[in-house]
Amino acid sequence: MKKIKIKSRLGEIEIDQETIITFERGILGFPNLKKYALIDLDSSSPLKYLQALEDEDIGFVVTNPIIFKSDYEIKIKRNDLEEIGINNPKHILSLVIVHVPENPEEMTANLKGPIIINSNLRKGKQLVLDQTDYELKYRLLP
């Protein structure tokens, strides 16, 4: 596998080129940034870092929402699945963006705007859910 070096707020990181995730429409607020790397922050942490490859200053802390809200379930429309080539539910990786304030105990996750990734084809998309029971700022720690 060919490795490339990227710069991020985490420093210089080496990633496998084959692990790059493409967001054809970008992420909300960043429509021109299409290529991202998903980086483990720590092997024991449920948090990861989604780093934009076209802008080293743009990155998002993300997590699997099920870890913090076991009943979290998103209704994904067929055209959203087709857009990123998902035909097998086992290939769906679901993440939410986490806001980490100065006091980490006040971390929140955006449950209304999950990110889905086709783990097989490495294509991603951010959804905007119309499910009213999910919050923009869901507290992760009680």
Side-chain angles (χ1 to χ4, degrees):
M1 281 189 205
K2 186 175 179 186
K3 301 227 183 223
I4 59 172
K5 287 186 181 182
I6 62 169
K7 290 183 180 177
S8 79
R9 292 180 179 193
L10 303 175
E12 191 168 272
I13 299 168
E14 198 172 81
I15 61 163
D16 291 328
Q17 197 164 5
E18 291 81 16
T19 65
I20 293 172
I21 302 163
T22 302
F23 289 80
E24 291 298 327
R25 297 177 188 234
I27 289 180
L28 293 176
F30 303 93
N32 298 327
L33 302 179
K34 312 286 188 190
K35 305 284 184 189
Y36 288 81
L38 188 59
I39 302 162
D40 286 326
L41 292 175
D42 179 314
S43 61
S44 64
S45 173
L47 303 176
K48 295 182 181 296
Y49 197 68
L50 189 63
Q51 173 65 52
L53 299 184
E54 294 108 338
D55 186 336
E56 65 187 56
D57 292 327
I58 304 299
F60 307 93
V61 176
V62 295
T63 193
N64 180 336
I66 300 297
I67 295 170
F68 296 96
K69 184 163 176 52
S70 61
D71 62 344
Y72 184 74
E73 185 178 311
I74 55 178
K75 296 175 180 116
I76 306 172
K77 296 175 183 155
R78 181 180 304 256
N79 61 330
D80 290 326
L81 293 172
E82 289 171 355
E83 188 176 324
I84 61 172
I86 291 180
N87 53 20
N88 183 341
K90 290 181 182 175
H91 294 155
I92 298 173
L93 172 60
S94 177
L95 299 169
V96 290
I97 295 176
V98 175
H99 171 67
V100 183
E102 205 170 299
N103 178 357
E105 291 179 6
E106 297 176 0
M107 279 190 301
T108 60
N110 177 354
L111 300 184
K112 281 205 161 295
I115 293 170
I116 56 171
I117 296 172
N118 180 330
S119 60
N120 190 41
L121 298 177
R122 312 301 295 170
K123 289 184 175 185
K125 178 176 181 152
Q126 185 172 19
L127 306 175
V128 177
L129 302 180
D130 53 12
Q131 292 167 254
T132 58
D133 49 340
Y134 292 138
E135 303 169 44
L136 283 172
K137 293 184 175 186
Y138 176 78
R139 294 253 339 221
L140 295 183
L141 303 173

